[in-house]
Amino acid sequence: MTIQTILQGREGPIFSCSADQSVADAIAILSEKRIGALPVLDGDRVAGIFSERDVLHGIQNLGPALMDKRVAEVMTADVISVDLQKSAIGALSLMTKRRIRHLPVVEEGKLVGFISIGDLVKYRIDKIESEAAAMRNYIQSA
């Protein structure tokens, strides 16, 4: 299964922020939407990722002054992304190896999706449960 298949069932917007927004505004989005990360966009291009980890590092290093900084000053700028044809297992492996929890999905330089490790784990669990059910049905019908 590819990332495209996982994204096909989704509806609604991809929440994001810009590099020029204040950290306080970005944190408000994370809190309001109950999400762990935002792609930071420059137009349609992914310029970075702003996550809960960036908030923690910022608090550690800057204290309350963090809230007045721009997202560009504290975001993770070294973005790892995938395309729609990446396998779900390949993306899960990449996230595990790189110790990241969110991946932008990019096609022709533009953001088309944003997946979390939870999305991929859910896919794996659903697949395993489906295979187990098929095996049970096969055994019962024999």
Side-chain angles (χ1 to χ4, degrees):
M1 180 179 286
T2 64
I3 297 301
Q4 183 172 16
T5 306
I6 292 172
L7 291 178
Q8 282 176 345
R10 288 206 178 157
E11 294 180 8
I14 301 169
F15 299 108
S16 63
C17 65
S18 73
D20 289 330
Q21 278 185 270
S22 72
V23 168
D25 288 344
I27 290 172
I29 296 169
L30 292 177
S31 177
E32 177 184 321
K33 303 302 179 187
R34 301 185 60 79
I35 54 178
L38 295 166
V40 181
L41 300 182
D42 180 7
D44 290 333
R45 187 183 71 78
V46 179
I49 304 286
F50 180 76
S51 72
E52 296 163 327
R53 289 181 182 175
D54 297 315
V55 173
L56 290 174
H57 288 286
I59 290 170
Q60 172 75 32
N61 296 326
L62 301 169
L66 170 69
M67 300 304 272
D68 297 324
K69 298 290 182 184
R70 292 179 26 248
V71 169
E73 297 175 75
V74 298
M75 70 183 186
T76 301
D78 184 22
V79 178
I80 299 166
S81 63
V82 294
D83 63 31
L84 290 169
Q85 301 314 309
K86 180 79 170 179
S87 72
I89 297 301
L92 186 58
S93 176
L94 173 66
M95 294 173 88
T96 302
K97 287 177 187 172
R98 296 300 298 265
R99 301 189 68 191
I100 57 177
R101 294 180 289 162
H102 300 88
L103 277 175
V105 182
V106 177
E107 285 292 315
E108 297 178 11
K110 295 180 181 180
L111 181 71
V112 296
F114 197 60
I115 58 171
S116 72
I117 199 160
D119 297 325
L120 298 174
V121 168
K122 180 186 181 309
Y123 152 75
R124 284 296 294 151
I125 290 170
D126 290 348
K127 184 172 170 87
I128 290 166
E129 287 176 351
S130 174
E131 290 169 355
M135 185 64 74
R136 279 192 300 276
N137 290 339
Y138 174 77
I139 291 169
Q140 290 173 352
S141 68

